[in-house]
Amino acid sequence: MSELLKVDNINVYYGSIHAIRNVSFHVDEGEIVTLIGANGAGKSTTLNCIAGLLKSDTGDIVFNGESLSKIPGFKIVNKGLSLVPEGRRIFLQMTVEENLQMGAFSNPENEQAGLERVFDLFPRLKERRSQVAGTLSGGEQQMLAMGRALMSKPKLMMLDEPSMGLSPILVDQIFEIIKNLNDTGTTILLVEQNAAAALDIADRAYVMETSRIVMEGKASELKESNQIQKAYLGQ
Amino acid sequence: MTVFIRTLISGLNLGSIYALIALGYSMVYGIARMLNFAHGDIIMVGAYSGIVAVMSIGLPPIVGILLGVIVCALLGITIERLAYKPLRQAPSLSILITAIGVSYLLQNLALIIFGPEQKAYPMFSGVKSFQILGAKIDGITILTLAVTACIMIGLNLFINKTKIGKAMRAVSEDKGAAELMGISTDRTITVTFAIGSALAAIASAFYGATYVYILPTTGSMPGIKAFTAAVFGGIGSIPGAMLGGIVLGLIEQFAKQYISTLWSNAIVFGVLIIVLLVKPTGLMGKTIQEKV
Ligand SMILES: Nc1ncnc2c1ncn2[C@@H]1O[C@H](COP(=O)(O)OP(=O)(O)OP(=O)(O)O)[C@@H](O)[C@H]1O
Ligand SMILES: [Mg+2]
């Protein structure tokens, strides 16, 4: 399998806080890779840095053979990489449809096909296409955030805690959809607090602790590891 | 009754001018989260551009106004690039002080170029007046109201229906999320400054036509009033700026007519304070959640 994303030795600071240290990992085409770890470990910082919201002073991020470190943040989605950010960050004052249109901002030819695909995946959003996003339920907002990220037709979709605040049934649904997306050719990089569910659908996993990656391996193997079970699976 | 109608119309006239200027304050605040205190002086630049175009070059007034619009839009973009863009990450106090500095710079440049004496604004000397319900109304007033109404409708369509307009709304809600969509914050801010400054130039033509004389400091007072109107309507909100401008113009003219010319400004600001006490976000303001 070919390497789609290579993160090589990145460091991000917030003022004097060193949020991620020498982080390196890779995602192969077609994989589901999950990044798990405790609160504050640096998972969101890592994803935001890959998506271009934050810049690393060191190292490089290579996507699809092209270095992203010199590209301005807003152009990164063009390369086929999209992020469903932590806390969803949908545009609350815009309608469902407008949010989705914004998702296709970099790729307007795909708007119509994208809308059809998203409405197919999330029929709920179709019913509510003219509703203002701020009035959607939490689950619907998560669907909208995912739908919006799909509008750019990403090769790699990064999701930051998509299950946050959702009921168990919805969590199952969201994970089911992530799996489906992966089956239809989208590579996935998934950050989750819900480590058990993430390890269930992932091929490989990285574990972050206090701003570093401390462990990596096949998801199925990590799931059996004593250390992981104690720290993240509550067993 | 005639006096009432006349006051109403002149209040709407003044309110339209405030609204056009307030839109610039409010849009820039909504997108760039900064108070551009040099915005008032853009009006002055627009007015002088019109004077130069018509009096010195001999262009027809409408061309002079369009030229003012272009000059102001370019000036707005330039000010943003040179003075504000380098301060994107700076504390808001630094940006505020810079904006005040830009304001003085523009006023003093105008003082050097055009001198301290007032210049007559030439534009609409030949426009006819009308009789409305017994009150004699200047043609220019009707023109001001009609053009302002068209601009407001156009601006609403632009913001709600076009791709750039929607991108502006997205940036004003969440810059980071907008960048994730592929929207350039810098480009959006540029467009916002261009539109705001162009609207100020149009306001300058109506202001010049109503008040006739132009000075290097001409922009300050309508600037401050329009800023008040923007806060009054809910800063960051486009319909709020429109409503705030109109309401402020009406209050000012009615206060002048029925209470006292001397007290009219005090009354305007008094009403502002009361509104902000009752509703701190302004008439149509949304609560802005600051991201931590
Ligand atoms: N904007 C910021 N300013 C200052 N410090 C920050 C900022 N964002 C994150 N941090 C700090 O950086 C570290 C990593 O944060 P990050 O959000 O990446 O963690 P996380 O692994 O995503 O945690 P969680 O699981 O709680 O979402 C934390 O110590 C956090 O306090
Ligand atoms: Mg996080």
Side-chain angles (χ1 to χ4, degrees), chain A residues 62-155:
Chain A
V62 179
F63 180 72
N64 215 9
E66 187 179 357
S67 166
L68 300 183
S69 46
K70 296 278 179 297
I71 297 177
F74 74 94
K75 286 193 177 148
I76 283 178
V77 64
N78 258 333
K79 307 288 175 193
L81 200 161
S82 72
L83 169 66
V84 182
E86 184 171 51
R88 299 158 195 152
R89 294 176 71 170
I90 53 173
F91 303 113
L92 297 171
Q93 291 164 25
M94 300 173 86
T95 66
V96 167
E97 192 164 354
E98 285 171 336
N99 267 277
L100 295 174
Q101 286 168 345
M102 289 297 102
F105 188 87
S106 62
N107 186 3
E109 324 71 71
N110 187 48
E111 190 178 304
Q112 219 33 55
L115 278 177
E116 273 164 35
R117 180 172 178 222
V118 170
F119 287 153
D120 228 33
L121 268 174
F122 305 104
R124 259 306 236 308
L125 294 182
K126 187 172 189 174
E127 291 163 28
R128 297 173 181 272
R129 62 199 291 172
S130 20
Q131 189 172 330
V132 173
T135 62
L136 295 174
S137 74
E140 289 160 351
Q141 290 192 359
Q142 185 59 48
M143 292 176 197
L144 180 58
M146 289 174 66
R148 187 181 67 174
L150 283 172
M151 293 293 291
S152 63
K153 251 185 157 179
K155 287 195 195 60

Side-chain angles (χ1 to χ4, degrees), chain A residues 14 17 19 37-46 86 160-161 193, chain B residues 292:
Chain A
Y14 298 105
I17 300 168
N39 288 117
K43 306 176 300 292
S44 299
T45 304
T46 305
E86 184 171 51
D160 197 344
E161 303 202 16
Q193 288 287 334
Chain B
V292 189

